[in-house]
Amino acid sequence: MTLTTKDFSTGYQGNKIIKSISLSLERSEWLGIIGANGSGKSTFLKGISRILDVYTGSAYLYGQNIHNSSTKEIAKKISVLPQLQRSNLTLTVYELVSLGRSPHKKWWELDLDEVDHSKVERSIELTDMKAFKDIPVDKLSGGQRQRAFLSLALAQDAKTLLLDEPTTFLDLRYQLQFLDLLKKINQEQEITIVTVIHDLNLAARYCDRIAVLKEGELLAVGSPRKVLSNKLMKKAFQVETCQIETPVGLQICTIKSN
């Protein structure tokens, strides 16, 4: 197991939003997290990435308690791509991605060594951003900027990647391009991925398993075919749905709201 939570609860200022969630991820698995607005999807991601404190229970990464580990040690194992990235950065793509090597440097080591430069170049290459490495981030399109920040996350050399609604501000073409890229990285680099995602059909298309949250509780976790059933979608989203087969596999058709 890579990431495991046991009776894990977290929230804001004494308000417990995530309530006793237990689940485990296999190496190189892609887990999608879905749920209605306010169900706790982003809060769960912030809890397991240590942005929020744990209230009860534990979260483990490769058997190590996340909340008993140093920030630098966790950053070597988990990379986080938040929902919103700064679009006004004047750093070049190469300079931005170089920041991903910080967890691997001593505080007095200001310059990148040969290994660091190699990791940065490799991360930029993996995300097809080589042609843009000398371009300032604020000059990039939305899709290019998202790939630049993914390069930054990959440069940390972590084997677990957490993404909060990574396609929210991308049009349909760039959504598919970005998720195709993630799937390639997931498979070829054996990186475990946890993605908060709104679109049920994108979740069905790309994720190995899906976790469904409602009011901070885990309703179900399993394969897309099992989890995206009419019964569970009605309970989680108050909508009637049906499963249909398409050239890209299982997809979900929304029929009506309850």
Side-chain angles (χ1 to χ4, degrees):
M1 299 295 176
T2 56
L3 180 66
T4 302
T5 65
K6 295 182 178 179
D7 299 322
F8 184 77
S9 300
T10 189
Y12 301 87
Q13 298 179 343
N15 181 19
K16 185 188 290 185
I17 295 175
I18 295 300
K19 304 160 188 172
S20 299
I21 288 182
S22 298
L23 55 80
S24 297
L25 278 79
E26 299 284 353
R27 181 181 176 87
S28 72
E29 181 179 20
W30 187 337
L31 177 73
I33 302 176
I34 66 172
N37 290 340
S39 60
K41 302 183 299 296
S42 295
T43 302
F44 178 68
L45 214 63
K46 290 176 181 177
I48 61 176
S49 60
R50 296 200 351 161
I51 295 173
L52 297 176
D53 292 332
V54 60
Y55 286 177
T56 60
S58 304
Y60 298 91
L61 190 63
Y62 300 103
Q64 183 179 6
N65 191 317
I66 291 174
H67 290 82
N68 290 340
S69 306
S70 70
T71 300
K72 177 167 281 194
E73 284 304 309
I74 292 301
K76 293 177 182 177
K77 297 180 175 68
I78 292 182
S79 297
V80 181
L81 189 65
Q83 184 179 18
L84 295 174
Q85 293 91 33
R86 292 180 60 185
S87 60
N88 61 344
L89 292 176
T90 57
L91 294 173
T92 66
V93 169
Y94 195 94
E95 290 169 337
L96 174 71
V97 178
S98 296
L99 298 176
R101 299 305 300 160
S102 298
H104 301 273
K105 311 297 290 182
K106 303 294 185 182
W107 66 267
W108 63 84
E109 294 177 322
L110 302 179
D111 298 323
L112 302 186
D113 59 22
E114 185 177 343
V115 172
D116 295 320
H117 283 293
S118 176
K119 296 287 186 181
V120 171
E121 292 282 359
R122 178 61 173 156
S123 298
I124 290 173
E125 183 180 338
L126 283 172
T127 56
D128 299 322
M129 287 295 287
K130 196 170 182 178
F132 303 95
K133 69 177 185 178
D134 297 321
I135 305 297
V137 174
D138 63 356
K139 303 300 182 185
L140 300 176
S141 69
Q144 292 163 352
R145 190 180 309 120
Q146 193 75 325
R147 282 188 284 145
F149 277 93
L150 177 58
S151 300
L152 166 61
L154 293 175
Q156 286 180 225
D157 212 20
K159 284 298 183 181
T160 301
L161 179 59
L162 311 181
L163 304 98
D164 190 357
E165 300 182 28
T167 60
T168 297
F169 301 105
L170 303 180
D171 64 30
L172 185 57
R173 175 192 175 198
Y174 287 114
Q175 287 181 24
L176 295 178
Q177 285 183 353
F178 187 78
L179 292 174
D180 282 342
L181 173 61
L182 274 183
K183 177 58 80 174
K184 180 180 178 182
I185 292 169
N186 165 242
Q187 294 176 337
E188 294 182 0
Q189 306 300 314
E190 296 187 332
I191 291 178
T192 303
I193 296 178
V194 182
T195 313
V196 170
I197 190 165
H198 267 300
D199 192 308
L200 300 182
N201 286 318
L202 292 179
R205 181 169 175 172
Y206 290 96
C207 299
D208 299 311
R209 287 193 302 155
I210 296 173
V212 186
L213 300 188
K214 182 178 182 181
E215 297 176 355
E217 297 182 348
L218 182 64
L219 286 185
V221 59
S223 68
R225 190 172 299 277
K226 175 184 175 182
V227 166
L228 298 175
S229 65
N230 180 47
K231 181 179 179 180
L232 271 170
M233 294 303 94
K234 187 186 298 185
K235 189 173 183 180
F237 295 98
Q238 289 77 56
V239 294
E240 295 280 352
T241 63
C242 68
Q243 297 183 352
I244 57 176
E245 297 298 333
T246 76
V248 295
L250 176 73
Q251 295 284 268
I252 305 302
C253 176
T254 303
I255 301 172
K256 66 178 181 178
S257 61
N258 289 334

